């Protein structure tokens, strides 16, 4: 199934400048895999050495951080929105 | 002075620009000073001659011009806390009191003045932030003085004083029905779309450097010495890393001697992702859903958490947390011993310090600095239930005398 993925500025060099793309997959991991197939190099720097996402990258399914769900195995359905965003500070 | 940014992870260098993230590896960008040009030039004597504000360390900040309200920011008191020291049975205790920082009564005035200086350099007409309150106050106040428009986002359940203390400056204040982490996510999305200067997003590398002045001042006010222990409240985790950076920069410049400085981070038990990381020896930060009265520290997904944890581990410090009851007790303890009214974040820090001292993790005969970063008048809601008026009486001397005579110990 296809879900909408919102792309942060820093990754748009891989998506021909597009801020939103469609991707196939039943989990966040599969979505990222499909994005790599569509846009070679997209996930090249997303993963840390341990295979998990780098700590500077946050991924949300709809409004929720996937670390509160099932991390990369979080299921996604059509009509879901996956948002990739850099982590930022504040207070 | 080179004003370059550098990725903390891969080291890739960038020219001065409003950006916070490495394009290659997505690590955070950091401002770096070229120390070699400053050794022997920036001396104790030179700094001591300058006006008592944070710009006395300007060579170590990423600025070319001081913004309009900047002239009075910083150089807050380092209080010798003898009463609290006696209460805890320690010998040498100090409080760095940014509850009285100018203009908005928190350490955030420091970071915002640097961020706004850069926003003006970069030509932004609108500045903004996601905030748990103090940052909102500081951005709103300084933006007003610099004639900049604002876009400030906060969780809608913030303390009323922090909301009023933002609105009064004419800020565009958006209350979001969500926690800080949700507000922060929205803020990042807004920053991606609009070309505004968000102090904690695209201006973050500059903004964060302002925190160093809190550390520089501690070192100078101690007589160009490093304290053996510093305890710091943590929200996003940035301040604690910049205090360590301040110590390291002063050491590199020969302004202070090399001596160990253990740095401890304090969080509320209801939102302690960084303390958990340190106490449990984890490599990764697990975000939490905040549930604490310390709203200014209620960041469940702190962006600088891994660096904050590293500072505690490397320096030989550790993390400690406090329950809501302990936070209130901490606020009252500081007020009743030292006459300093701090906000909930300060209560967290006091409660954590008490645990670290009582457990022997901090030895009683070594020098300790407590970091007070915000003012209690902004978070009165947290303590109103725990304090009460001694008596309400008719305006007669008889009523007063009866109250006094029944008062007992409180008057002795």
């Amino acid at each position: 199934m296809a879900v909408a993925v919102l792309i942060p500025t820093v990754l748009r060099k891989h998506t021909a400048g597009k801020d939103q793309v469609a991707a196939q997959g039943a989990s966040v991991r599969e979505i990222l895999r499909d994005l790599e197939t569509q846009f070679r190099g997209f996930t090249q720097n997303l993963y840390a050495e341990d295979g998990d996402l780098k700590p500077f990258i946050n991924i949300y399914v709809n409004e929720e951080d996937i670390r509160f769900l099932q991390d990369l195995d979080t299921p996604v359905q059509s009509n879901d929105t996956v948002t990739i965003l850099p982590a930022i500070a504040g207070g | 002075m080179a004003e370059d940014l550098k990725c903390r992870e891969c080291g890739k260098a960038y020219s001065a620009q409003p950006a916070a993230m490495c394009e290659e590896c997505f690590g955070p960008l950091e401002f770096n000073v070229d120390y070699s040009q400053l050794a022997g030039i920036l001396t104790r004597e030179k700094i001591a001659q300058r006006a008592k504000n944070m710009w006395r360390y300007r060579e170590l900040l990423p600025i070319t011009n001081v913004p309009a309200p900047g002239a009075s920011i910083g150089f807050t008191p380092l209080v010798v806390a003898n009463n609290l020291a006696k209460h805890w049975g320690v010998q040498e205790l100090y409080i760095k009191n940014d509850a009285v920082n100018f203009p908005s009564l928190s350490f955030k005035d420091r970071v915002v003045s640097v961020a706004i200086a850069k926003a003006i350099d970069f030509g932004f007409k609108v500045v903004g932030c996601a905030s748990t309150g103090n940052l909102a106050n500081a951005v709103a106040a300084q933006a007003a003085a610099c004639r900049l428009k604002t876009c400030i986002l906060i969780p809608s359940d913030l303390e009323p004083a922090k909301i009023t203390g933002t609105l009064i400056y004419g800020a565009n204040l958006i209350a979001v029905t969500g926690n800080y982490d949700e507000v922060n996510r929205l803020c990042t999305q807004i920053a991606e779309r609009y070309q505004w200067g968000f102090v904690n997003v695209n201006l973050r590398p500059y903004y964060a450097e302002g925190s160093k002045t809190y550390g520089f001042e501690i070192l100078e006010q101690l007589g160009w010495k490093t304290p053996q222990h510093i305890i710091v409240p943590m929200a996003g985790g940035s301040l604690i890393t910049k205090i360590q950076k301040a110590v390291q920069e002063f050491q590199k410049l020969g302004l202070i001697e090399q001596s160990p400085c253990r740095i401890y981070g304090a969080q509320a038990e209801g939102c302690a992702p960084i303390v958990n990381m340190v106490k449990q020896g984890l490599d990764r930060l697990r975000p939490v859903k905040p549930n604490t009265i310390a709203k200014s520290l209620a960041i469940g997904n702190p962006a600088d958490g891994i660096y904050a944890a590293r500072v505690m581990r490397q320096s030989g410090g550790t993390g400690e947390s406090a329950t809501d009851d302990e936070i209130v007790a901490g606020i009252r303890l500081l007020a009743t011993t030292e006459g300093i009214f701090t906000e909930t974040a300060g209560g967290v820090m006091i409660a954590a310090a008490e645990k670290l001292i009582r457990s022997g993790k901090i030895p009683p005969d070594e020098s300790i600095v407590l970091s007070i970063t915000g003012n209690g008048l902004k978070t009165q809601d947290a303590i109103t239930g725990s304090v009460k008026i001694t008596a309400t009486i008719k305006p007669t001397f008889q009523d007063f005398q009866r109250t006094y005579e029944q008062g007992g110990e409180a008057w002795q």
Side-chain angles (χ1 to χ4, degrees):
Chain A
M1 74 202 78
V3 302
V5 184
L6 303 185
I7 309 296
T9 311
V10 74
L11 285 172
R12 284 178 205 158
K13 61 186 173 192
H14 299 292
T15 60
K18 281 189 198 161
D19 59 3
Q20 181 172 339
V21 298
Q24 303 281 335
S27 69
V28 173
R29 195 186 302 277
E30 288 178 21
I31 294 292
L32 291 175
R33 199 175 293 148
D34 183 51
L35 288 170
E36 178 64 33
T37 310
Q38 291 186 59
F39 312 104
R40 184 154 300 278
F42 185 90
T43 60
Q44 183 187 332
N45 288 313
L46 286 184
Y47 294 104
E49 284 170 11
D50 61 4
D52 209 341
L53 280 174
K54 282 188 177 168
F56 320 108
I57 293 285
N58 294 331
I59 296 186
Y60 305 85
V61 172
N62 300 323
E63 309 299 301
E64 189 63 288
D65 189 321
I66 58 168
R67 286 174 294 181
F68 289 112
L69 302 168
Q70 295 165 53
D71 286 309
L72 290 169
D73 297 318
T74 302
V76 291
Q77 299 173 345
S78 45
N79 300 327
D80 282 347
T81 301
V82 172
T83 306
I84 306 173
L85 276 181
I88 59 164
Chain B
M1 188 63 49
E3 282 187 49
D4 290 342
L5 299 174
K6 205 171 175 184
C7 174
R8 283 197 71 156
E9 294 298 308
C10 73
K12 185 177 161 72
Y14 294 81
S15 61
Q17 58 185 289
M21 192 182 203
C22 178
E23 290 170 3
E24 296 297 322
C25 78
F26 315 124
L29 302 184
E30 187 176 23
F31 174 76
N32 282 294
V33 172
D34 183 356
Y35 302 109
S36 63
Q37 294 178 31
L38 289 174
I41 291 172
L42 188 63
T43 60
R44 290 181 185 180
E45 293 69 31
K46 188 165 184 179
I47 293 169
Q49 283 169 6
R50 291 177 174 171
K52 290 193 167 166
N53 59 55
M54 63 182 268
W55 310 107
R56 64 206 270 111
Y57 315 106
R58 55 182 170 262
E59 287 88 345
L60 301 169
L61 295 170
I63 51 127
T64 46
N65 299 301
V66 173
S72 303
I73 300 173
F75 223 79
T76 54
L78 184 76
V79 179
V80 181
N82 285 332
N83 298 331
L84 187 54
K86 200 172 162 190
H87 177 82
W88 283 341
V90 297
Q91 285 173 16
E92 200 182 344
L93 186 68
Y94 306 89
I95 294 164
K96 179 60 176 171
N97 187 12
D98 262 18
V100 291
N101 201 12
F102 176 88
S104 72
L105 307 177
S106 89
F107 92 101
K108 291 293 188 188
D109 290 319
R110 299 173 184 274
V111 286
V112 168
S113 60
V114 175
I116 287 197
K118 298 312 291 186
I120 293 168
D121 282 356
F122 292 133
F124 289 118
K125 302 291 182 231
V126 179
V127 291
C129 63
S131 174
T132 59
N134 282 325
L135 183 57
N137 295 170
V139 168
Q142 294 188 49
C146 292
R147 317 308 293 157
L148 295 166
K149 299 286 182 205
T150 51
C151 173
I152 297 173
L153 299 128
I154 55 165
S156 59
D157 69 345
L158 269 199
E159 295 94 343
K162 286 189 173 166
I163 294 174
T164 310
T166 304
L167 289 172
I168 191 61
Y169 303 109
N172 290 317
L173 183 65
I174 311 293
V176 180
T177 55
N179 64 33
Y180 177 80
D181 299 295
E182 292 169 305
V183 176
N184 212 4
R185 171 170 53 77
L186 175 62
C187 183
T188 315
Q189 290 175 304
I190 295 169
E192 292 250 313
R193 184 63 60 91
Y194 298 93
Q195 295 304 305
W196 296 338
F198 279 93
V199 303
N200 61 310
V201 187
N202 51 351
L203 297 172
R204 167 173 145 193
Y206 303 102
Y207 150 100
E209 291 295 290
S211 291
K212 291 190 305 191
T213 62
Y214 187 85
F216 294 149
E217 289 173 18
I218 291 172
L219 303 169
E220 182 182 349
Q221 289 170 314
L222 278 174
W224 304 100
K225 268 188 359 201
T226 314
Q228 286 159 292
H229 308 273
I230 303 181
I231 306 157
V232 188
M234 299 184 296
S238 176
L239 175 62
I240 191 170
T241 67
K242 297 300 175 179
I243 287 176
Q244 186 188 49
K245 191 174 182 186
V247 173
Q248 292 167 343
E249 288 187 353
F250 265 22
Q251 285 175 345
K252 281 180 194 163
L253 289 171
L255 293 169
I256 53 169
E257 287 182 11
Q258 301 268 350
S259 64
C261 176
R262 295 186 174 183
I263 306 179
Y264 306 80
Q267 293 195 296
E269 212 158 282
C271 182
I274 312 174
V275 169
N276 292 344
M277 222 186 131
V278 171
K279 281 192 164 179
Q280 296 165 21
L282 306 174
D283 292 333
R284 275 190 171 263
L285 183 135
R286 294 301 302 182
V288 301
K289 302 273 185 190
N291 178 21
T292 170
I293 58 167
K295 293 179 184 177
S296 62
L297 302 184
I299 299 182
N301 182 19
D304 288 311
I306 51 169
Y307 298 115
R310 200 175 292 171
V311 166
M312 288 181 262
R313 286 171 178 154
Q314 282 177 350
S315 72
T318 184
E320 192 53 85
S321 60
T323 65
D324 284 356
D325 286 348
E326 290 167 344
I327 295 166
V328 172
I331 294 171
R332 294 185 65 186
L333 178 63
L334 184 67
T336 54
T337 54
E338 296 298 338
I340 294 170
F341 185 17
T342 187
E343 64 160 31
T344 44
V348 170
M349 193 279 307
I350 292 287
E354 181 161 300
K355 290 181 185 180
L356 291 164
I357 290 165
R358 299 263 193 241
S359 67
K361 284 182 184 138
I362 295 181
D365 57 345
E366 297 187 356
S367 56
I368 307 164
V369 171
L370 306 174
S371 308
I372 293 298
T373 55
N375 194 301
L377 293 172
K378 296 188 190 183
T379 62
Q380 293 186 56
D381 337 43
I383 46 100
T384 43
S386 69
V387 288
K388 65 178 200 307
I389 291 170
T390 307
T392 303
I393 62 171
K394 290 201 217 70
T396 68
F397 183 73
Q398 209 177 15
D399 266 27
F400 174 76
Q401 198 165 31
R402 193 183 306 125
T403 302
Y404 172 69
E405 283 166 4
Q406 289 168 355
E409 278 180 20
W411 296 92
Q412 303 305 313

